[in-house]
Structures are given as structure tokens and as C-alpha cells.
Amino acid sequence: MPTFSVRSLSRLETCHPDIREVFKEVIKHRDCTILEGIRTVEMQEHYVATGRSTTMNSKHLPQADGLSHAVDAGKYPVDWEDGKAFALFAGYVLGTAEQMREQGRITHMLRSGVDWDDDGNVKEHRLYDGPHFEVIP
């Protein structure tokens, strides 16, 4: 059974409890890595300035509870050129989250940067963010 590295676990601990629970379930079945949880304002400013992000209204920034309500994650090892792998992984993560929500194990559903509105049409979005997942309020 795959397990998270110390680095992935420390990143995951900066995230909303529902994100933590979903990815603790996902790792039991799919080897994955947590690329990023919480960001500082300075990091986000740098990402916007360099084009890595498009907004200062990121859910990676500390929210009212002090946690990130977003996480960047992917199957391990990460292949940045394999968009299909990110899409397949996103489907697995979202399916796991949906099942956990139905079971009452989490409160919020997650959204993926592969398909922001979860309508199955991934080509309609101008921003594709394969590793991104966030809590839907």
C-alpha cells in the first residue's frame, strides 16, 4: 500500500480537514504526492507575477480558519506532460470525495482544476490546472 512522504504529509496538514481526509483515503489505493497546500501572500504574488497563477484570490492562501482550502496533488511520480494522467487522477479523487460525502465522512465536496464546473466538458475552461483541488463551500 502506498504511503505519503513526510513532505507530502506536512503539506497536507496545512489543508482543510475534508481535503486531508479525502487524500488520506486516496493514498490507500493510488500512489500520489501532495505538491502544495498553503501558500503565503508573497508566494502567491510571485506566482501571479510569473504567470503560474492568475489570481490573488487563491484558496491556497490562508482562509478564515487559517488553513488552505486548496491542494495541488498528482499521481506519483508526477509527469507534467501527461494531462490525461491528471484528468484520470482527478476523477478518482472526486469519486472518492463523493463517496465519502455520501457516507458522512466529509462535509464538503471538492472541485478540480481539470473541470472547474464538473460538467464533464474539460475543453470549455480557459484555465486548466490539472493538479488543483479545492473545497466547494
Side-chain angles (χ1 to χ4, degrees):
M1 179 171 68
T3 58
F4 282 123
S5 68
V6 171
R7 180 180 291 176
S8 283
L9 277 175
S10 68
R11 292 171 177 163
L12 189 58
E13 287 304 311
T14 68
C15 297
H16 187 280
D18 286 349
I19 292 173
R20 291 194 304 253
E21 291 306 310
V22 168
F23 279 93
K24 286 178 182 177
E25 185 64 29
V26 168
I27 193 68
K28 293 178 184 177
H29 309 280
R30 297 285 188 274
D31 200 359
C32 61
T33 184
I34 305 300
L35 302 163
E36 191 165 29
I38 205 162
R39 294 180 188 158
T40 64
V41 171
E42 293 78 22
M43 288 170 63
Q44 189 65 25
E45 287 172 342
H46 174 74
Y47 288 168
V48 170
T50 59
R52 188 169 165 187
S53 182
T54 60
T55 182
M56 283 303 298
N57 191 26
S58 172
K59 289 191 177 187
H60 282 281
L61 294 170
Q63 302 298 299
D65 58 8
L67 298 169
S68 173
H69 286 202
V71 66
D72 289 344
K75 76 172 195 71
Y76 183 83
V78 174
D79 179 352
W80 293 104
E81 302 303 314
D82 191 351
K84 289 181 182 178
F86 280 109
L88 288 170
F89 182 71
Y92 186 81
V93 170
L94 295 178
T96 299
E98 185 174 351
Q99 184 177 43
M100 291 177 72
R101 186 166 180 222
E102 288 171 0
Q103 295 169 346
R105 295 170 56 196
I106 62 171
T107 305
H108 301 89
M109 192 52 199
L110 302 184
R111 167 176 32 229
S112 166
V114 170
D115 184 12
W116 291 98
D117 58 6
D118 196 31
D119 68 353
N121 183 357
V122 300
K123 294 179 180 180
E124 71 185 349
H125 306 287
R126 70 175 176 82
L127 176 63
Y128 176 86
D129 192 351
H132 183 85
F133 299 90
E134 63 185 36
V135 172
I136 299 173

